[in-house]
């Protein structure tokens, strides 16, 4: 496995691929939550839910104004069955694996779902 620092330095496209691969392998995705629920970001004038491939990456983001947030695991099954439809219904997008220097790839939930289900 590559070091976290090397992974963080990958391009947004490569981090997205890493996110999908890790989610399939570990059957888990990670989000940040606070007392109000899931943390949201605004990217490209869209409300987005940031997702990460591992707890360490989510926690890495939880600094500054986000330091009160905590990483929460979501099973891949739960993501596909509940989160994708819920995000679509609420007209939300995803920010795939943002890092402190780069926002990450903005993607529609159904496209992310397709990549997660592909072999």
């Amino acid at each position: 496995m590559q070091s976290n620092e090397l992974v963080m330095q990958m391009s947004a496209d490569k981090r997205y691929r890493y996110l999908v691969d890790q989610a399939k392998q570990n059957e888990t995705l990670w989000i940040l939550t606070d007392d109000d629920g899931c943390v949201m970001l605004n990217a490209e004038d869209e409300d987005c839910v940031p997702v990460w491939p591992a707890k360490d990456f989510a926690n890495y983001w939880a600094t500054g104004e986000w330091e009160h947030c905590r990483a929460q695991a979501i099973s891949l099954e739960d993501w596909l069955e509940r989160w994708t439809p819920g995000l679509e219904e609420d007209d939300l997008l995803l920010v795939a694996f943002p890092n402190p220097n780069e926002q990450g790839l903005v993607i529609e939930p159904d496209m992310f779902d397709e990549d997660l289900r592909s072999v």
Side-chain angles (χ1 to χ4, degrees):
M1 185 162 141
Q2 300 179 34
S3 81
N4 287 357
E5 283 301 315
L6 289 175
V7 172
M8 293 291 275
Q9 294 173 14
M10 291 178 179
S11 69
D13 288 337
K14 286 184 180 178
R15 285 195 323 275
Y16 176 72
R17 207 58 257 154
Y18 183 85
L19 169 66
V20 170
D21 292 344
Q22 291 297 303
K24 287 178 179 181
Q25 182 178 334
N26 299 320
E27 297 185 6
T28 306
L29 291 161
W30 291 85
I31 61 168
L32 286 176
T33 61
D34 62 16
D35 292 338
D36 297 321
C38 180
V39 167
M40 304 279 285
L41 298 176
N42 190 283
E44 299 178 10
D45 294 325
E46 299 283 350
D47 289 329
C48 303
V49 173
V51 293
W52 290 271
K55 183 178 184 177
D56 289 348
F57 294 119
N59 283 334
Y60 193 79
W61 182 272
T63 61
E65 68 178 291
W66 308 104
E67 67 187 345
H68 65 285
C69 299
R70 50 202 176 276
Q72 178 180 326
I74 299 172
S75 73
L76 187 57
E77 179 181 356
D78 196 33
W79 184 273
L80 295 171
E81 289 180 9
R82 294 183 49 223
W83 280 76
T84 297
L87 292 169
E88 289 177 325
E89 185 176 306
D90 293 340
D91 203 25
L92 298 172
L93 299 177
L94 301 173
V95 176
F97 194 176
N99 71 26
N101 302 318
E102 190 177 11
Q103 139 183 320
L105 198 64
V106 176
I107 188 165
E108 293 183 20
D110 63 330
M111 298 301 292
F112 186 54
D113 187 299
E114 281 181 34
D115 286 339
L116 290 171
R117 292 178 188 271
S118 68
V119 177

